[in-house]
Amino acid sequence: MSLDANRAPVRVLVFSASLRTGSLNTKLANLAAICLEHNGGQVDLARMSEFDAPSYNADLQDQGNWPTGAHRLRERLEECDAFVIASPEFNASMPGSLKNAIDWVSRFSPQPFNELHGLLMSASPSMVGGNRGLWALRIPFEHLGARIYPDMFSLAQAHRAFEEDGRMADRQLQERFDATLVGFMNLVEASKHYPCAKRAWVEYLGEHPEPVLDRVE
Ligand SMILES: Cc1cc2nc3c(=O)[nH]c(=O)nc-3n(C[C@H](O)[C@H](O)[C@H](O)COP(=O)(O)O)c2cc1C
């Protein structure tokens, strides 16, 4: 997929959902940031440790004690058009720290994930690259109104995939990775210029309106 030279810049928050030093997903997130910038994107590269938070507790929320990590993630999301997350797969799902961050941020109003475009990627030493975790991750994001890109990039045998300069050793794989990101950026840019009609976030569209339960924005 080629780059549209007339495309307006898009701002993308990129982070790896691993807290680990030497993380394979952080390598993948760094590579995504390089590719996005190379193709005209404006990147905010963050670390999961910046968004780490104590387990969600409605009492803390009711007392106004929102964790700093949740505030930070909300602010960074509000400043971008899209996000890219490279997430490890833990037990065929997403890491608890990432789900916890999503849960905290989902309680802000307006709810920051609504209408944001997202691209999910993963890296794992396994043969399927942590892809099952991304299907699980898709669910809360789509529930929250994020537009999750249909293609997801899962880097298999990631412990052997990177060269010293951080690029993928397999050139074809690197090209596929770049094409996925460019395709995603083109969609984000198009949606900036041709925003779709849906503006509101209604948690359950078909539910009988009930002021006590409604989460409508
Ligand atoms: C608690 C736990 C559960 C894991 N479950 C899976 C799994 O279901 N599938 C998988 O491919 N790898 C699994 N792994 C291995 C991770 O993919 C591997 O440790 C990976 O390097 C973690 O990502 P990171 O390098 O970005 O920190 C698991 C690791 C841990 C610590």
Side-chain angles (χ1 to χ4, degrees):
M1 183 165 306
S2 62
L3 174 69
D4 178 351
N6 298 317
R7 195 181 56 207
V10 294
R11 295 161 301 168
V12 189
L13 174 65
V14 180
F15 67 97
S16 151
S18 175
L19 292 163
R20 186 174 81 86
T21 320
S23 152
L24 298 169
N25 284 280
T26 301
K27 288 184 182 169
L28 197 62
N30 291 342
L31 201 52
I34 289 168
C35 174
L36 290 165
E37 278 180 345
H38 179 74
N39 287 289
Q42 294 170 356
V43 173
D44 177 11
L45 184 58
R47 285 173 291 117
M48 189 66 213
S49 56
E50 297 176 81
F51 308 139
D52 210 18
S55 293
Y56 176 79
N57 181 337
D59 292 344
L60 293 177
Q61 182 191 333
D62 293 344
Q63 293 155 10
N65 290 326
W66 297 68
T68 307
H71 280 292
R72 283 195 194 123
L73 180 52
R74 174 206 197 178
E75 286 160 15
R76 307 276 280 267
L77 287 167
E78 283 177 351
E79 280 166 21
C80 69
D81 304 306
F83 60 86
V84 173
I85 301 179
S87 175
E89 176 179 277
F90 281 179
N91 298 313
S93 189
M94 74 201 85
S97 52
L98 178 57
K99 179 61 164 53
N100 188 47
I102 294 169
D103 290 342
W104 270 113
V105 168
S106 73
R107 306 311 291 175
F108 286 112
S109 182
Q111 189 268 99
F113 291 110
N114 186 35
E115 296 204 6
L116 264 192
H117 286 266
L119 173 65
L120 306 182
M121 45 182 67
S122 59
S124 161
S126 84
M127 294 298 281
V128 285
N131 189 258
R132 289 170 304 179
L134 299 188
W135 285 104
L137 185 51
R138 198 171 251 285
I139 293 171
F141 281 138
E142 294 205 350
H143 169 80
L144 292 167
R147 281 80 196 271
I148 301 301
Y149 196 57
D151 296 336
M152 303 187 288
F153 191 94
S154 293
L155 185 63
Q157 299 196 295
H159 56 307
R160 297 199 205 127
F162 295 101
E163 299 210 299
E164 277 199 5
D165 66 0
R167 288 177 64 80
M168 289 174 202
D170 186 322
R171 191 174 298 174
Q172 228 182 334
L173 211 52
Q174 178 71 54
E175 281 170 12
R176 210 187 285 165
F177 179 75
D178 293 346
T180 305
L181 282 160
V182 170
F184 175 66
M185 286 173 82
N186 284 339
L187 179 68
V188 175
E189 194 269 343
S191 88
K192 278 184 85 169
H193 287 279
Y194 310 104
C196 78
K198 183 191 162 208
R199 306 304 305 177
W201 181 63
V202 180
E203 190 161 20
Y204 296 107
L205 282 169
E207 201 174 53
H208 184 71
E210 166 58 71
V212 178
L213 300 175
D214 273 354
R215 291 196 69 199
V216 179
E217 285 163 7

